Amino acid sequence: MEIGSRNTADRGAMSQINVTPLVDVMLVLLIIFMVTAPMMQQGVQVNLPKADTKGLSPQEVTVVISIERSGKLFINNSEIPIGELRSRLSGMFATRTKKEVFLKADKDVPYGEVVQAMAEIKGAGIERLGMVTEPAQRR
């Protein structure tokens, strides 16, 4: 028997997987993701006040319609003409289950303009209309 041929016959192909490099790579990736995940937040940094109330869900964001003394109409902070109020509200509330709007009008706005805005709001299918007022001063 030849010694050289015996050694090569005993070796054969190795069928075991070396997992050490795989574990090393996975640990490095884990550390990279842990470090970079907090940096991926988007948006504006705002220091929010603390309150002991229940937060609003995205569908419960309130819609406020304002009428200035000059007669300008706003949905939240966007100015719109009175003729577009019904269609804009219909589009905004098409997928919402809670159809509620708050109306805030200057005290010097003519009564007819407020009633016209209320009619457009009701015509858009809004079920609840709240009037925003300031508390009266007691005498």
Side-chain angles (χ1 to χ4, degrees):
M1 249 189 186
E2 295 180 11
I3 298 174
S5 64
R6 185 173 181 224
N7 288 339
T8 57
D10 288 342
R11 288 186 189 166
M14 234 176 110
S15 62
Q16 297 176 356
I17 297 174
N18 189 0
V19 294
T20 305
L22 177 66
V23 171
D24 290 344
V25 169
M26 295 304 289
L27 287 175
V28 169
L29 287 175
L30 178 66
I31 291 170
I32 289 171
F33 285 127
M34 288 173 54
V35 170
T36 59
M39 295 179 204
M40 296 180 68
Q41 293 179 353
Q42 296 178 353
V44 179
Q45 183 66 28
V46 178
N47 189 11
L48 296 175
K50 306 286 188 250
D52 292 332
T53 60
K54 183 183 123 190
L56 296 175
S57 72
Q59 290 189 345
E60 292 179 341
V61 174
T62 57
V63 175
V64 178
I65 298 172
S66 305
I67 305 173
E68 285 186 342
R69 178 181 295 172
S70 63
K72 291 181 182 177
L73 189 73
F74 295 86
I75 293 181
N76 292 336
N77 292 325
S78 303
E79 183 179 356
I80 63 160
I82 186 76
E84 292 181 17
L85 181 61
R86 183 180 298 203
S87 62
R88 185 82 59 96
L89 287 175
S90 295
M92 288 174 70
F93 286 92
T95 59
R96 294 188 187 191
T97 56
K98 186 177 180 183
K99 299 181 188 286
E100 180 178 52
V101 169
F102 293 100
L103 179 63
K104 183 168 68 170
D106 191 280
K107 66 179 181 177
D108 295 328
V109 173
Y111 181 69
E113 291 181 27
V114 175
V115 170
Q116 182 183 4
M118 291 172 67
E120 293 294 319
I121 292 167
K122 288 294 185 179
I126 306 302
E127 298 163 355
R128 296 183 62 182
L129 174 62
M131 303 293 288
V132 178
T133 60
E134 290 183 2
Q137 294 180 351
R138 297 187 184 211
R139 296 181 189 164

